[in-house]
Amino acid sequence: MRRKHPLEEVERGLKVSPRRRLELIEELGADAEALQEALERRGHRPARARRAALRQLVPTEEALSELEAQHAPALGRRLRAAGWLDRAERVGIAGATILAGAAALVAVRWHAPAGAAAILAWPQVAVVAFLATNWTRAAKRLWIDGDLRPEPRRRLWERQVGLVVAAVALGALGAAWEGYTALGALEAEAAATPALWEAVRRGVSFAALGVGAAICGLFGWLAITPRLISDETIEGRISRLFAPSPLTLTSSARTSATRR
């Protein structure tokens, strides 16, 4: 079983962007090497000097908090200074949900679904609001906290995809139901034309709201994709930084073989 690098725990505990984490870990690693060399010149063995250097340079919890405050995104620092950091996510989610929900409600009121179609109209409003909420949560983690790790990133993406599919499905179901209503209007003799066009209008509104919500959800995520790709690339560099080198593995294997 591979022994964890002491700075690996530090990197895992830092709640800053991957770029800042990489810079801090590289800086701590360079300081550890310099201190190790100084200890070796004083007569310490390399392994003991390495452990002592890392032990001295691993930051405390208070130091980690200070580093996070110093290296947080500019917007996050401003919100922290104003005392709004803890409320930023709730306010952003509430604002995005209200705006998206209001837009969806206007669309629902405009096509005024009746009967069974009304059952699909309100879930459409909820899906639009959830799409806005999910995107806002991801944006907050990226540009206010500066830290969106792979696991929550995957969950947010899967939720976004599920909501996009739900928006399209509800729009399609609503349009299909209104199409069925339009066919019923064609079979009626009295006032068939007004009822037909009303059903067509509501069906188009259902489809437009579903497709529009899906497009906004996808393009909203596409807008943050460059930042996500950059973070993934840097996280790969961090993983390689802590990966054991082939030389180390070979030396360990030789040592085990010699002991046997």
Side-chain angles (χ1 to χ4, degrees):
M1 186 175 179
R2 182 178 71 89
R3 293 179 60 183
K4 289 186 177 179
H5 195 287
L7 295 181
E8 192 171 353
E9 293 296 329
V10 176
E11 185 274 332
R12 205 171 278 178
L14 277 171
K15 295 180 177 63
V16 294
S17 67
R19 187 176 300 278
R20 295 297 185 187
R21 293 204 308 270
L22 178 62
E23 292 173 355
L24 289 170
I25 293 304
E26 286 180 338
E27 183 178 346
L28 286 172
D31 292 343
E33 290 179 3
L35 183 55
Q36 178 184 350
E37 291 176 1
L39 291 172
E40 287 179 11
R41 285 195 296 269
R42 296 177 189 173
H44 291 274
R45 293 179 179 178
R48 184 177 180 183
R50 180 68 174 171
R51 287 194 299 269
L54 289 171
R55 190 164 50 246
Q56 291 183 36
L57 289 172
V58 169
T60 62
E61 292 185 4
E62 293 78 8
L64 284 177
S65 299
E66 293 178 5
L67 286 172
E68 289 171 6
Q70 292 173 5
H71 294 278
L75 180 58
R77 289 197 301 271
R78 294 191 189 99
L79 291 173
R80 187 190 297 273
W84 276 81
L85 186 62
D86 295 334
R87 290 174 284 179
E89 183 173 3
R90 293 193 295 271
V91 171
I93 288 174
T97 302
I98 290 170
L99 289 175
L105 280 172
V106 169
V108 168
R109 293 289 298 173
W110 181 75
H111 64 59
I119 300 175
L120 300 174
W122 293 106
Q124 271 195 317
V125 175
V127 167
V128 171
F130 286 143
L131 273 170
T133 299
N134 195 63
W135 184 89
T136 303
R137 193 182 298 274
K140 187 258 182 183
R141 296 288 296 273
L142 287 173
W143 285 290
I144 295 180
D145 297 337
D147 182 32
L148 183 56
R149 302 295 173 113
E151 186 60 27
R153 183 192 309 147
R154 182 185 61 80
R155 289 198 302 268
L156 287 169
W157 166 242
E158 290 175 352
R159 195 175 301 146
Q160 192 82 355
V161 171
L163 290 168
V164 165
V165 172
V168 174
L170 288 170
L173 286 172
W177 179 260
E178 295 299 345
Y180 176 76
T181 304
L183 290 176
L186 284 175
E187 296 176 358
E189 295 181 0
T193 302
L196 171 64
W197 285 111
E198 182 66 18
V200 170
R201 181 177 68 82
R202 291 198 301 264
V204 170
S205 298
F206 261 116
L209 182 57
V211 173
I215 290 174
C216 289
L218 287 175
F219 274 89
W221 198 269
L222 185 63
I224 66 176
T225 297
R227 169 63 188 273
L228 296 177
I229 293 174
S230 174
D231 284 0
E232 287 181 2
T233 303
I234 296 173
E235 283 165 356
R237 291 175 59 186
I238 293 174
S239 298
R240 290 192 296 272
L241 189 67
F242 292 126
S245 64
L247 181 60
T248 303
L249 291 175
T250 304
S251 300
S252 301
R254 287 177 180 172
T255 303
S256 301
T258 303
R259 288 176 179 175
R260 289 176 187 175

